[in-house]
Structures are given as structure tokens and as C-alpha cells.
């Protein structure tokens, strides 16, 4: 009876995302696949690679990436402030589908289209080029870092109360493969001594 009850209880999961990050996108789509198949209470919160890497010495191509990543992160922050955290799921999906699945890096086009698809005011696009919401964005990023307990990039998730960087995936697991990975990650998250595991990354597949 207790085992059956445990199976029915939704696992609390938080996905911290930067909409520009391809790895966060893949991990978020994996979690949505798990949510489709198992009782998972999945919510989305904002973090920012732009804030994380603001004062770091990084390669020029990555500096350019981080400088451009301010725009989508600011828009997500403005949307959350004005319309509540619940809008982040659909807005992130609309942004990420264009940026990652469709390969459109023209944020001036992507952001208005994503806002329209999400049923949000077009005026929110103005936040992309404004510092108006930067204090709020920094606070959200800090909350993600505080949850982890040290600096970490994306993907960042909270599972069963434990927050950690990863899993970093090259492709989106589907079906029972997605569930098996989730249960494995959940086991690692619940294992206190476990700290890190890593191997070489392959080519990204957003399909």
C-alpha cells in the first residue's frame, strides 16, 4: 500500500533555465517527457548565464553568446514579474523551439514571435534591450546559485530537495529511456556522498 502511494505522489522538480542555453533546453525537454509519463510536479525558474559569466575571462565567442543571452533572460524576467511564474513554461517553450529546435538566433524576431505565441503583450520585447529588470534577474540567478550551494551553470535542477548541475544531455531521451534516466538521477540526487560524474560530449540533437 505504501509503495503504491509513493508511486502516485508527484515528485517535486524545479528546472532553472537560461533560454539561450542549448543544454538547458535539452534537459528541460527531457523533464517534460518524464512529466508526461510519471507523476512529476515540474516548475520552471530563471537563472542567467549572462550574470554568471559577467566578470569572467572567457573566450570571445562565448562572450558574444553571453552578451546576447541578456535579451531572452530579461524578457522572461519581465514576463514573470508582470504575469506570474506560470507563464514561464509556455514562454520558454516558444523561445527555445525557435532558438534551438529551429536554429533561429535572430532574437529580434524570435522574442516577439514567442510572446505572441504565449499570449503575452508584445511590449515585453522592449525588456530585451533595457536594464530595467536586471536587478530582478540577478536576484533570480542568485536564488538558483544559493539553492545549489555554489556557482553552477545550466542545466540546473532541483529534485527531491537536492539542487545540482545537470544532467547534461546531448539529445532528448524519450519514453521509458527518459524515465530510467530520471530514476537514476533521482537515486544519485538522494545519495549524499555523490558529487560529480562526467564524460565527453557528443553532437547535439534537438529532435
Amino acid at each position: 500500500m505504501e509503495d503504491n502511494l509513493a508511486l502516485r505522489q508527484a515528485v517535486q522538480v524545479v528546472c532553472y533555465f537560461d533560454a539561450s542555453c542549448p543544454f538547458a533546453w535539452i534537459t528541460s525537454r527531457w523533464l517534460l517527457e518524464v512529466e508526461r509519463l510519471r507523476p512529476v510536479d515540474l516548475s520552471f525558474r530563471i537563472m542567467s548565464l549572462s550574470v554568471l559569466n559577467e566578470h569572467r575571462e572567457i573566450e570571445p565567442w562565448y562572450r558574444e553568446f553571453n552578451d546576447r543571452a541578456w535579451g531572452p533572460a530579461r524578457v522572461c524576467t519581465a514576463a514573470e514579474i508582470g504575469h506570474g511564474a506560470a507563464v514561464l513554461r509556455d514562454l520558454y517553450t516558444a523561445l527555445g523551439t525557435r532558438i534551438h529546435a529551429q536554429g533561429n538566433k535572430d532574437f529580434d524576431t524570435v522574442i516577439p514571435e514567442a510572446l505572441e505565441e504565449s499570449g503575452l503583450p508584445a511590449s515585453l520585447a522592449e525588456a530585451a534591450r533595457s536594464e530595467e529588470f536586471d536587478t530582478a534577474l540577478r536576484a533570480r540567478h542568485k536564488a538558483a546559485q544559493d539553492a545549489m550551494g555554489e556557482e553552477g551553470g545550466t542545466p540546473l535542477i532541483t529534485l527531491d530537495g537536492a539542487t545540482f548541475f545537470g544532467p547534461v544531455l546531448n539529445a532528448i531521451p524519450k519514453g521509458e529511456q527518459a524515465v530510467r534516466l530520471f530514476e537514476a538521477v533521482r537515486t544519485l540526487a538522494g545519495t549524499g556522498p555523490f558529487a560529480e560524474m562526467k564524460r565527453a560530449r557528443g553532437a547535439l540533437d534537438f529532435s
Side-chain angles (χ1 to χ4, degrees), residues 59-82:
E59 295 183 21
W61 72 267
Y62 194 45
R63 171 54 59 204
E64 181 183 1
F65 169 88
N66 280 271
D67 288 347
R68 296 185 70 247
W70 281 104
R74 286 166 168 166
V75 171
C76 287
T77 303
E80 181 185 359
I81 289 173

Side-chain angles (χ1 to χ4, degrees), residues 145-168:
Q145 303 299 285
D146 288 348
M148 183 177 176
E150 62 180 54
E151 285 193 344
T154 56
L156 197 68
I157 69 172
T158 298
L159 176 58
D160 285 338
T163 302
F164 50 89
F165 171 70
V168 176

Side-chain angles (χ1 to χ4, degrees), residues 4-13 35 38-42 159-160 182 186:
N4 290 335
L5 179 61
L7 287 173
R8 291 196 301 270
Q9 290 177 335
V11 181
Q12 303 293 313
V13 182
E35 182 186 55
R38 291 291 187 273
V40 172
D41 184 2
L42 174 62
L159 176 58
D160 285 338
F182 182 77
R186 194 178 181 193

Side-chain angles (χ1 to χ4, degrees), residues 17-29 49 65 69 72 92-107 110 154 172 204-207:
F17 72 94
D18 183 310
S20 299
C21 177
F23 295 105
W25 173 252
I26 291 174
T27 295
S28 72
R29 299 311 98 177
L49 291 174
F65 169 88
Y92 181 27
T93 293
L95 287 167
T97 297
R98 289 165 172 81
I99 295 170
H100 306 297
Q102 298 174 4
N104 189 348
K105 310 303 181 184
D106 180 3
F107 292 169
V110 163
T154 56
I172 306 166
L204 297 182
D205 181 357
F206 299 114
S207 60

